[in-house]
Amino acid sequence: MKGNDYIIEFKNICKSFGDKCVLNDVSISVKQGEFLTLLGPSGCGKTTLLRMLAGFGSPDSGQILINGTDITDVPPHERPVNTVFQRYALFPHLDVYDNIAFGLKLQKVPVNEIDTKVRKVLKMVSMTDYEDRDVESLSGGQQQRVAIARAIVNQPKVLLLDEPLAALDLKMRKDMQIELKEMHRKLGITFIYVTHDQEEALTLSDTIVVMNEGKIQQIGSPTDIYNEPQNSFVADFIGESNILNGKMVKDRLVEFVGHEFECVDEGFGEDVAVDVVVRPEDIYIMNRLEGSQLSAKVKSCTFKGVHYEMFVDTDKGYELMIQDYNAFEPGSEVGLFIKPADIQVMHKERTCNTFEGEIVDESHVKFLENTFECPEGHGLEAGDKVKIEVTFASVELIDHPEEGMLAGEVHFLLYKGDHYHLTILTDDGDHLWVDTNDVWDKGDLVGINIAPKDIKLVKYND
Amino acid sequence: MKRFFAQCYIWLLLIVLYAPIVFIAVFSFTESKVLGNWTGFSTKLYTNLFTGDMQGTGSLMSAIENTLVIALVAAAVSTVLGTIAAIGLHNMRGRGKQAISFLNNIPMLNPDIITGVSLFLLFVFLHVSQGYMTVILAHITFCTPYVVLSVLPKLTQMNPNIYEAALDLGATPFQALRKVLLPLLKPGMISGFILAFTMSLDDFAVTFFTRGTIGLDTLSTYIYTDARKGGLTPELRPMITIMFLGILLLLIVINLRKIRNSNKAE
């Protein structure tokens, strides 16, 4: 080892398919024996990253190290890793025994040794007595066990698992989670696990890497990720949460939903716009108003097994989700209380849309590959480069894409208590953020208009 | 009543389809030189065929031998070429894949006579002396697309991660091909081989144009020449009958195998 105890290091990995960037400067270090999960929605690049580690596909730039050695250009069959594929990928022409023995036979391991090893792993995955079975006659869960046995029998330094439980039913998935965790403990090797199921990630992992759109959003332990999400994407993706616009009044005092709350965060500055996350189970709900920080009216109450899930409207008109063991009747007046430590304050990723553009003439400016009308009297020359600012609320969305100046698709949406914050992906591949009270769904095609008065030009100081 | 008419229709169709072959089979058991003249039951034509006691035996036997050798070689070579092509085609993406699939289909839709004439012109243009070699090359040319077409579905049905799983477990690309890919493609390759073999067996037009002038005869060109010389040699009747029964047997075997396999899969 070269001066560190990392078994795997991804260094500044970038990868594009065509003009779509799937991995953007991804760096991860994995410790020996760690259970690391790559978590994110589909298309976030997690599977691409795992496949690179296995040797299927190489990065456009960056390095992959195993035990300090660069393996970026090593072919898959020479890498000390084995993979459990999403749809098992068992060899249908071989029986269970021969599937598991496949790797050992290639290594020319003596027959009696193969026999001992195969029987050992079969026992480990509780599949003894199944060795002569045709793999296609097995159930999904059993095939999964064979796939795991086939990988671990080769004693890899790292086991890669690509959504191995995605095709199983809920009960089976829960059982297999426990078994995987147990297996990880017994084998003592490094597991790299890919999933889009946040609960699975929280249950299994030592470390979670949350990814979205080819970028790492946060790396941390399950408790860190859950309790201290670093941005609204992580907060929204992991568990249920209330994500709200807020303002850091001063150290240890934050304002949101129209009230000021004590909190534990410092160092944001004074009067700074922030995002605030409050988990629904961290809001105390009670029948009386004394001792509460704000009052609210219960809108709906649903039984969820262990707890009740309630939506309330606060006195200042914000909607909050609350989980509590007690049910409160819809229509009843309640008091709410949030402990300082349960308020998670995050820097805002952006406060308005900013684009690079160029002046066309006295009343037109070109940005997002389109020419927009803009307020006159900016005093700039045609061809001047400018920065364009458009507030989230002033972007107008319309139903028919062909009627807008730009066309796009609703890519991501976040409810912020009293409005929706949407991420729009334009047809040219640019991002645009919009605050709106209208209800849109993910994947809706929209037209985008921006009124001339809402376009603010900022000259570059050259 | 409706059922009765449906039954009649089926039987009528079958009679029209099989009457000619039954006709030949029946008349293979009589000695008459002219087809359609019943001169009493006899198995003499069969004995003649097998003892070689007939006119032009030598050339008939060599025609049969040529036909089988050409069909076997052409089917074997096109199975190898077609399988490789199918794997390559399967791994292509986007427009290239569509273009190649399209090009693969053209030779199959092309009339034999055009394939034959164009190959003939090509061989003349390249100054290749025509004979055994050119006939085999020509047969490989029109058989390969059929193999591609019977192997491709096996590849699309296959779990895309299977080949990768083999590499992942330490197989070199060649080992992965031999130990995983080929066993899984085998059923497709076998049906491709059988298809290519039968296509080659019954080809007339392409062979006719590419065999040159060295007097090479396959069964189809032999029968054609024989028929033109003034009536079919009577011994061809039992031969056609035997060939028909052979093909029938082969089809029954293939179908039985298919039924057994699908039962096993359930």
Side-chain angles (χ1 to χ4, degrees), chain B residues 119 167 189 215 236:
Chain B
L119 282 166
L167 296 182
M189 289 167 70
L236 285 174

Side-chain angles (χ1 to χ4, degrees), chain A residues 151-444:
Chain A
I152 60 177
V153 77
N154 303 296
Q155 292 168 308
K157 286 182 182 155
V158 184
L159 184 67
L160 312 180
L161 302 109
D162 183 8
E163 308 221 16
L165 309 182
L168 304 180
D169 61 55
L170 184 67
K171 181 80 174 63
M172 193 72 196
R173 202 153 64 215
K174 298 269 181 208
D175 293 346
M176 282 302 285
Q177 282 175 11
I178 297 166
E179 285 185 42
L180 273 176
K181 187 101 183 142
E182 181 64 16
M183 221 176 276
H184 175 247
R185 198 184 55 77
K186 270 195 209 154
L187 292 169
I189 61 172
T190 312
F191 277 38
I192 310 268
Y193 194 94
V194 161
T195 184
H196 63 270
D197 182 339
Q198 41 105 4
E199 200 189 319
E200 200 164 283
L202 292 173
T203 312
L204 292 171
S205 328
D206 297 324
T207 307
I208 298 177
V209 178
V210 185
M211 294 179 67
N212 189 34
E213 300 193 337
K215 281 193 200 134
I216 295 178
Q217 303 292 321
Q218 186 169 359
I219 303 183
S221 69
T223 44
D224 282 351
I225 299 267
Y226 189 82
N227 292 331
E228 282 158 43
Q230 273 167 19
N231 59 41
S232 52
F233 174 82
V234 178
D236 180 64
F237 193 73
I238 312 281
E240 306 276 7
S241 51
N242 296 293
I243 302 171
L244 304 151
N245 284 333
K247 191 172 80 182
M248 204 66 190
V249 181
K250 57 180 189 189
D251 279 354
R252 295 175 171 270
L253 192 65
V254 63
E255 183 202 308
F256 60 95
V257 299
H259 291 268
E260 288 188 351
F261 294 85
E262 267 183 58
C263 66
V264 293
D265 299 86
E266 293 175 354
F268 281 83
E270 289 187 6
D271 284 339
V272 175
V274 290
D275 276 329
V276 174
V277 176
V278 183
R279 296 286 180 190
E281 69 272 21
D282 289 337
I283 302 176
Y284 291 87
I285 177 168
M286 47 206 158
N287 275 322
R288 56 199 156 77
L289 292 179
E290 58 267 31
S292 71
Q293 289 162 309
L294 67 156
S295 66
K297 194 173 175 186
V298 178
K299 226 166 44 165
S300 70
C301 179
T302 317
F303 182 54
K304 289 278 179 180
V306 178
H307 60 262
Y308 290 88
E309 186 174 279
M310 285 160 281
F311 285 93
V312 303
D313 278 330
T314 71
D315 47 5
K316 297 275 165 62
Y318 290 86
E319 187 187 88
L320 294 176
M321 181 204 259
I322 299 173
Q323 291 171 354
D324 200 280
Y325 298 120
N326 302 308
F328 291 82
E329 280 298 307
S332 58
E333 292 286 333
V334 291
L336 305 180
F337 178 81
I338 308 167
K339 280 198 223 160
D342 291 334
I343 297 170
Q344 166 68 10
V345 180
M346 310 179 298
H347 286 285
K348 269 203 179 299
E349 287 148 272
R350 61 194 79 79
T351 50
C352 71
N353 291 296
T354 50
F355 311 103
E356 312 256 305
E358 192 182 300
I359 299 291
V360 178
D361 60 31
E362 188 54 27
S363 60
H364 289 88
V365 60
K366 189 171 190 252
F367 63 94
L368 289 177
E369 288 161 57
N370 239 301
T371 305
F372 292 84
E373 227 179 294
C374 68
E376 293 183 27
H378 47 66
L380 293 163
E381 300 278 320
D384 277 359
K385 301 266 182 244
V386 284
K387 193 163 86 177
I388 293 101
E389 291 184 351
V390 181
T391 60
F392 298 142
S394 59
V395 179
E396 188 200 352
L397 297 181
I398 49 178
D399 279 318
H400 301 287
E402 62 277 9
E403 286 169 19
M405 291 188 239
L406 294 170
E409 183 192 328
V410 177
H411 194 53
F412 182 65
L413 37 88
L414 208 59
Y415 187 60
K416 288 208 147 175
D418 62 342
H419 67 272
Y420 288 93
H421 186 65
L422 309 182
T423 308
I424 311 288
L425 187 66
T426 68
D427 287 352
D428 296 320
D430 295 299
H431 286 104
L432 205 74
W433 289 272
V434 182
D435 281 345
T436 173
N437 289 318
D438 299 332
V439 180
W440 298 92
D441 279 321
K442 196 176 168 172
D444 280 352

Side-chain angles (χ1 to χ4, degrees), chain A residues 20-64:
Chain A
K20 195 180 182 312
C21 175
V22 285
L23 290 172
N24 188 352
D25 197 22
V26 170
S27 296
I28 303 170
S29 300
V30 189
K31 285 200 205 80
Q32 167 68 43
E34 199 170 351
F35 196 127
L36 180 123
T37 301
L38 302 173
L39 173 67
S42 58
C44 75
K46 55 190 192 301
T47 298
T48 311
L49 196 63
L50 189 85
R51 287 173 55 82
M52 272 179 196
L53 186 54
F56 308 120
S58 53
D60 295 339
S61 65
Q63 271 187 317
I64 303 170

